[in-house]
Each structure stands twice: as C-alpha cells, then as structure tokens.
Amino acid sequence: MDSIPTWLLFASLGLLIVLSGFFSSSETGLISLNRYRLRHLADEGHAGARRANRLLQRPDRLIGVILLGNNFVNILASSVATIIAMRLMGQAGIAVATGLLTLVILIFAEVTPKTLAALHPERIAFPASWVLGPLLRVLYPLVWVVNAISNNLLRLLGVSPESSGDQPLSREELRTVVNEAGAMIPQRHQRMLLSILDLEKVTVEDIMIPRNEMVGIDLEESWEAILERISRSHHTRLPVSEGGAENIIGILHLRNLAHRLAAGDLDPESLRKLVRAPYFVPEATPLHTQMLNFQRERRRIGLVVDEYGDIRGLVTLEDILEEIVGEFTTDPGETMQEVHPQEDGSFLVEGSAYVRDLNRLMQWELPTDGPKTLNGLILEHMETIPEPGTSFRLAGYPVEIVHVGTSAVRTVKIMPDLRRPPE
C-alpha cells in the first residue's frame, strides 16, 4: 500500500463513491418504477423496460446483487480513506476520515442519487439494467448463497421470497388511479371510466322505468287509439299488453311494421304476429351483468320483475349506456320534465324525480344508497311528511318544501349554488 501514490488513492476513492451512488440510485430507481407502465413499455418492445422487468421478477436476487456491490464499494472506500488519512495526519486522521467519508457518502452516494432516482426512475433504472443484468450473472453463486440464507429467514417469518409482491388493483385503487391521471385522461373520459367501475354496484332496479311510467300498446284499446299511439311514439320499441301493464305479452319493434303502415294493410291480427316474446330481467341484476345478458340474448329492452314474478318496470340497453356516458342530450330540461329552473338559480323539482337521474343530469351529489326518488330521500331524512315551507339541508343542499300531497312530497325547491359539503 505504501507504494501506491496518494493521488491514485484519491482517484480510487472518488471512483468508489461514484459506484456507491450508482448502486444506491439503481436500487431506488428500479423499486420506484411504475409496474404497469413498465409492463406496457416491455410489451411495446422497449429494451430497457424488458431488462428491468426481468430483474424485478425476482426482487430478492436484484436486491442481493445491488447490496453486494454497494457494501463492497463502501467498505473499500472506507479502507482507502483510512489509508489516505493516516498518510496525511497519522493516527488522528482515522477519526477525521470516518466523519468526512460518512458525510460525503451520505450526500453524494445516498441522498442525492436516491432522490434523483425517485423523481426520474426510468432515466436511472433502464440504463442501470445494462450493468446489473450481467453483474448478476457473474456474481450469481455469491448472490445465491446470500439469498438462500436470507430467504430461509423470511420463510421463518411467513414470507414467500418467490412472489414478486404484485397484487391486482382493487376497484377503489383503480378509481384513485383514474382520478390522479389528471390531464392525461380528459375529465369526461375519467367520469366514463369511473361509471364503468360502478356498474357492479348499481342494479337494474336503480335505473328502470317504473311500470306506471311505461309507454306501450294495449290490444284491448280501439284500433284507432292504437294507431294514434304508434304514430306519436318517441320510442322504437313498445311493450304490448292485453288489459294493462301487468299482462304484457311482448315487445313490438315499430320498424317491423313501417312498410305495412305505408301499404295500409296493417290490422290487429298482423300487428300481433309482429310482437316478439318478452325478455324478463330480475330487478337485482347488476348493470354490468345485464349489459352482457343483453349482448348474449341480442336484446335491447327487458321487463324488470321482482321475486314474485310481478312486472316492476322496464330497462333498456340505452339506460345502461347512459349510466356510463351520461345523457345523450346536454339540455337537462329536455330529458327531465321534473326539473324546472328558476331565475334565482334554484330549481323546482318534483318529488317523483329519480335521485340517480338528478345526479347524472344536474351534476348533483345526492345519496344513492337509499331511496330511489327525491320524495323517498326527503321522507327518510325527515322521518315524517314535512309541512310546506319547511327548510333544511339534504346532503348539504338547501331544500325548501313547496307542495305536499296527502302522503308524499310533490314539489321542492333546491338551491345547488348554496350547497355546503356535508361534514
């Protein structure tokens, strides 16, 4: 050692500190990589991403080779620093070298490179994988011995070192990923993605058209009344009944009778032949399941039934799609006749309005885990039928009761601009 020039020892010490910084930044960079982005880049053919992905398949081996290299260069750097200090200051230089080297390694080989790697993991991890891959193959026998000992200790603690620790994202974690996407995903697309995640929590009962609001054809009506209803219908598919909505015999697609109407040879018997057998849907079916059922059955409309087989309402494929993309019209007044805007910015809302429709169309945040209608929500909140003029806050929205019927709230005034988020 005495024959080695001091300048060469300083150069060696500097190189060792650089190597220590390399191992420290490589560890942080590889561990900080976004695993889903890494897999995407690897599937796209990115060479650095593929190498990094292979290294991360066994994190125990990766950490083993990094720590072997890091500890080796740190210990060697400490020895070189001690030799330099003894040459320059004698025995007293040992303590000085220890303090200075600790500070230098902390700043230049730990904090700075690790912070850089945490902020820009791909810039560090991908180039580092060029070195760590071959280094792992060269040092594999030593890494294997170290890992064999440490892995047995982990097994004693109930940890399996073979598993990479990757876990599928839960629904709530996916919601967080979408919400934090920021400008990478347009806000409207974020809402659509979140709506898709919520399809499993929403049932057919939540979005169905109630039986008393269904528009259809009753074959027991006069032929003139039936033709009038067909000509004025805004829907392309109508339920067909005999003697009321509780006795629906099928669904009629108006397109199938257009040519007969034009030719003037449509009569009750030929209309009956065009009726397709009804498709029944249990009211508790989740929307994501029902959407797949519509696709499998090649249907676009279904009759919702309860556990006793009684018809509760009607659901269409368009209703489910609107839960994802929102209403197909941008004017709430065109789609919700129960909402009446006022000059002061408030809204007169009928108690029969559905809570989910209000939230979707008006961008409100009324609770949806309870009653389906605004009237039901108010009665649940008040636990009694309120008097006209009663004012209170519902989910933070100022609400005033305007009109009350015998057993239900008919009209309320909601002032969304004065909303205070509930505590």
Side-chain angles (χ1 to χ4, degrees):
M1 283 294 182
D2 292 339
S3 61
I4 301 177
T6 304
W7 67 267
L8 185 57
L9 292 176
F10 272 110
S12 301
L13 181 60
L15 177 61
L16 292 172
I17 292 173
V18 171
L19 291 175
S20 178
F22 164 77
F23 285 115
S24 297
S25 61
S26 300
E27 177 185 8
T28 302
L30 285 162
I31 299 301
S32 300
L33 283 173
N34 185 313
R35 301 299 176 90
Y36 300 98
R37 174 173 168 77
L38 178 64
R39 290 171 185 169
H40 168 71
L41 292 175
D43 291 339
E44 291 293 319
H46 192 288
R50 288 184 173 180
R51 288 190 299 272
N53 191 44
R54 284 195 296 269
L55 290 172
L56 289 169
Q57 295 300 316
R58 286 299 301 268
D60 57 331
R61 296 174 181 173
L62 173 63
I63 292 175
V65 70
I66 290 176
L67 292 183
L68 272 174
N70 201 19
N71 281 281
F72 175 78
V73 297
N74 284 344
I75 293 173
L76 186 57
S78 177
S79 301
V80 173
T82 301
I83 295 173
I84 295 174
M86 291 184 65
R87 282 190 182 184
L88 299 179
M89 292 179 286
Q91 293 295 330
I94 298 177
V96 175
T98 301
L100 288 176
L101 186 62
T102 300
L103 185 62
V104 169
I105 288 181
L106 184 64
I107 295 174
F108 296 100
E110 293 291 338
V111 176
T112 301
K114 284 188 174 182
T115 302
L116 177 63
L119 294 175
H120 305 284
E122 294 182 8
R123 295 183 183 180
I124 301 298
F126 293 165
S129 63
W130 284 96
V131 178
L132 295 177
L135 187 62
L136 176 59
R137 288 191 290 270
V138 172
L139 299 179
Y140 184 78
L142 185 56
V143 172
W144 184 88
V145 172
V146 173
N147 284 344
I149 298 173
S150 61
N151 288 346
N152 286 325
L153 293 176
L154 289 175
R155 291 189 182 96
L156 293 177
L157 298 176
V159 179
S160 174
E162 284 77 16
S163 62
S164 63
D166 289 343
Q167 296 180 353
L169 292 177
S170 67
R171 184 184 298 105
E172 294 306 317
E173 290 170 338
L174 280 173
R175 292 178 65 91
T176 301
V177 171
V178 173
N179 285 325
E180 292 184 352
M184 297 178 65
I185 303 178
Q187 187 174 4
R188 178 173 176 80
H189 294 173
Q190 289 184 27
R191 289 197 299 267
M192 291 172 59
L193 290 172
L194 294 176
S195 297
I196 293 174
L197 294 176
D198 288 337
L199 285 184
E200 188 174 348
K201 298 189 297 183
V202 183
T203 63
V204 167
E205 182 187 13
D206 294 324
I207 68 167
M208 71 177 183
I209 300 171
R211 190 175 68 177
N212 62 335
E213 297 181 14
M214 290 168 50
V215 177
I217 299 173
D218 191 343
L219 293 180
E220 294 189 358
E221 293 182 334
S222 65
W223 182 241
E224 291 74 15
I226 292 176
L227 291 178
E228 177 72 14
R229 190 177 295 273
I230 290 174
S231 63
R232 293 182 177 274
S233 175
H234 298 290
H235 307 284
T236 57
R237 294 173 176 83
L238 294 175
V240 179
S241 62
E242 283 185 325
E246 66 279 355
N247 187 29
I248 296 177
I249 63 173
I251 303 295
L252 175 65
H253 198 313
L254 300 188
R255 185 182 62 185
N256 296 334
L257 51 82
H259 66 283
R260 289 181 176 269
L261 278 174
D265 62 348
L266 183 67
D267 55 45
E269 188 61 30
S270 60
L271 186 147
R272 184 187 292 271
K273 292 180 180 179
L274 295 174
V275 176
R276 187 181 183 186
Y279 170 58
F280 297 103
V281 177
E283 61 182 352
T285 306
L287 292 191
H288 76 290
T289 300
Q290 186 54 47
M291 185 163 59
L292 296 176
N293 290 342
F294 274 141
Q295 183 181 33
R296 183 176 63 252
E297 299 291 335
R298 297 184 180 278
R299 298 273 191 160
R300 298 176 67 92
I301 186 172
L303 298 173
V304 183
V305 295
D306 60 17
E307 58 182 317
Y308 304 105
D310 296 330
I311 295 176
R312 292 283 311 281
L314 179 147
V315 66
T316 67
L317 179 60
E318 288 77 10
D319 294 329
I320 300 178
L321 295 178
E322 285 182 350
E323 286 292 312
I324 299 174
V325 303
E327 290 290 335
F328 297 134
T329 177
T330 58
D331 184 2
E334 295 182 5
T335 54
M336 286 205 70
Q337 299 178 355
E338 300 95 340
V339 179
H340 309 281
Q342 303 299 300
E343 293 181 357
D344 60 355
S346 63
F347 294 87
L348 289 179
V349 185
E350 297 179 17
S352 59
Y354 281 87
V355 175
R356 295 190 64 84
D357 292 340
L358 291 172
N359 286 344
R360 185 173 64 246
L361 294 171
M362 308 302 295
Q363 302 300 314
W364 294 349
E365 297 179 4
L366 297 170
T368 58
D369 54 354
K372 311 301 181 187
T373 65
L374 182 60
N375 169 63
L377 200 61
I378 292 175
L379 296 185
E380 181 186 64
H381 179 80
M382 300 296 292
E383 298 182 346
T384 185
I385 299 177
E387 297 291 333
T390 304
S391 298
F392 57 95
R393 285 189 179 270
L394 182 63
Y397 293 94
V399 175
E400 179 183 346
I401 306 299
V402 177
H403 177 62
V404 178
T406 304
S407 59
V409 175
R410 299 301 182 190
T411 310
V412 301
K413 184 178 183 180
I414 300 180
M415 292 159 277
D417 292 340
L418 301 179
R419 187 204 181 201
R420 185 171 62 229
E423 297 179 357

